């Protein structure tokens, strides 16, 4: 991990990316904090050319995205064009659609349904990456978890991962173990911390919670993660302040 490969997930500041004017100010603030890139997600209906121009204005790489499964199914060529325009390799799916959750059979159906999309992106020189939550760690009757199926029954070259280390931990799994399992399949990782407040798990800035981020960053280094992306689903303070706190902690771990 270097300063040049730490990025901010725009979902963190989604209330400030609804218009081009908002996005411009948001990117300015993110650059001012010190981030080198952004993951495009949950922004308003802004022309892709304008998104690229604004990112270039502030010297921010567009390192990854989150794209809906509907768009991946129905608008794949446009998705490819946008990512080529942005110079962005990593095409992320933020979650498995609801209809594919709940059983080993539905996960297998998702693997089958997503395979043509994943292969098309691979052919285009892009990398599909799957972003987990905690429900993928539920065990089914046969002892397998959803994440096991996604790892074991997909094309390892074309189907990549964007592990969210908070959600791995929340799912009762060891994030360091899953980082190692992702060797060769994870170029981008999601970072946020977990704190306990009033006996409840809450999202926290990196270093403000109980996860061992010194160990986890070292594990990510060991498998050659390319982009370290800060995402905080819910902030208990101004989200730009949260991004700054997380960035400073990551700086200390360089």
């Amino acid at each position: 991990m270097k300063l040049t490969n730490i990025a901010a997930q725009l979902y963190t500041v989604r209330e400030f990316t609804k218009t081009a004017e908002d996005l411009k100010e948001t990117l300015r603030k993110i650059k001012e904090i010190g981030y080198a890139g952004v993951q495009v997600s949950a922004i308003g209906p802004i022309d892709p050319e304008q998104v690229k121009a604004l990112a270039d204005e502030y010297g921010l790489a567009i390192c990854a995205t989150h794209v809906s499964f509907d768009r991946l199914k129905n608008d794949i060529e446009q998705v490819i064009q946008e990512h080529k325009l942005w110079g962005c390799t990593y095409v992320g799916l933020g979650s498995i659609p609801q209809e594919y959750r709940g059983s080993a059979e539905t996960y297998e159906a998702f693997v089958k349904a997503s395979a043509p999309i994943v292969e098309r992106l691979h052919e285009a020189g892009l990398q599909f990456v799957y972003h987990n939550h905690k429900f993928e760690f539920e065990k089914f009757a046969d002892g397998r978890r959803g994440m096991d199926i996604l790892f074991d029954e997909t094309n390892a070259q074309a189907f990549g991962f964007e592990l969210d280390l908070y959600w791995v931990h929340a799912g009762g799994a060891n994030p360091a173990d899953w980082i190692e399992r992702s060797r060769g399949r994870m170029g981008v990782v999601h970072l946020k911390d977990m704190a306990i407040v009033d006996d409840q798990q809450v999202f926290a800035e990196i270093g403000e919670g109980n996860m061992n981020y010194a160990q986890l960053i070292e594990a990510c280094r060991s498998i050659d993660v390319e982009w370290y992306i800060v995402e905080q689903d819910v902030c208990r303070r101004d989200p730009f302040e949260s991004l700054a706190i997380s960035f400073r902690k990551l700086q200390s771990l360089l």
Side-chain angles (χ1 to χ4, degrees), residues 127-145:
Q127 178 64 61
F128 174 87
V129 291
Y130 180 84
H131 171 272
N132 65 281
H133 292 80
K134 68 178 180 180
F135 59 79
E136 293 92 344
F137 292 90
E138 178 183 354
K139 277 193 175 180
F140 302 126
D142 62 3
R144 292 185 298 167
R145 297 164 292 190

Side-chain angles (χ1 to χ4, degrees), residues 61-251:
I62 299 176
C63 63
T65 63
H66 273 175
V67 180
S68 72
F69 195 57
D70 281 345
R71 273 206 80 199
L72 290 172
K73 284 192 300 182
N74 301 316
D75 199 18
I76 186 68
E77 296 307 320
Q78 183 62 36
V79 169
I80 289 169
Q81 288 180 29
E82 287 176 9
H83 284 73
K84 297 283 189 179
L85 168 67
W86 291 341
C88 177
T89 300
Y90 297 103
V91 185
L93 178 64
S95 182
I96 190 170
Q98 185 69 43
E99 64 265 29
Y100 293 112
R101 305 178 193 179
S103 72
E105 291 73 24
T106 55
Y107 274 85
E108 289 168 345
F110 170 74
V111 169
K112 183 176 180 180
S114 64
I117 295 164
V118 170
E119 294 298 333
R120 177 68 190 102
L121 293 173
H122 187 63
E123 289 170 4
L126 303 176
Q127 178 64 61
F128 174 87
V129 291
Y130 180 84
H131 171 272
N132 65 281
H133 292 80
K134 68 178 180 180
F135 59 79
E136 293 92 344
F137 292 90
E138 178 183 354
K139 277 193 175 180
F140 302 126
D142 62 3
R144 292 185 298 167
R145 297 164 292 190
M147 283 293 277
D148 295 321
I149 295 168
L150 295 179
F151 266 84
D152 295 341
E153 299 189 17
T154 54
N155 179 340
Q157 281 71 49
F159 193 111
F161 290 87
E162 179 184 52
L163 286 184
D164 186 305
L165 303 186
Y166 173 102
W167 287 120
V168 175
H169 186 58
N174 184 330
D177 290 346
W178 280 85
I179 291 167
E180 178 57 35
R181 186 171 180 178
S182 303
R183 182 179 293 274
R185 300 183 73 173
M186 185 166 75
V188 287
V189 65
H190 267 193
L191 314 176
K192 53 178 168 273
D193 214 335
M194 179 187 292
I196 303 299
V197 176
D198 297 328
D199 206 31
Q200 300 293 319
Q201 291 177 189
V202 298
F203 302 108
E205 298 78 12
I206 297 164
E208 299 294 303
N210 298 314
M211 296 173 66
N212 186 345
Y213 261 98
Q215 177 195 52
L216 296 176
I217 294 301
E218 191 54 44
C220 288
R221 282 197 188 102
S222 76
I223 69 162
D224 297 323
V225 167
E226 182 180 1
W227 281 98
Y228 296 76
I229 304 175
V230 175
E231 178 192 52
Q232 192 168 332
D233 305 43
V234 178
C235 301
R236 289 173 292 131
R237 48 169 58 92
D238 180 276
F240 294 99
E241 184 182 354
S242 291
L243 286 176
I245 292 168
S246 291
F247 183 81
R248 289 195 294 269
K249 180 62 178 179
L250 291 176
Q251 272 186 302

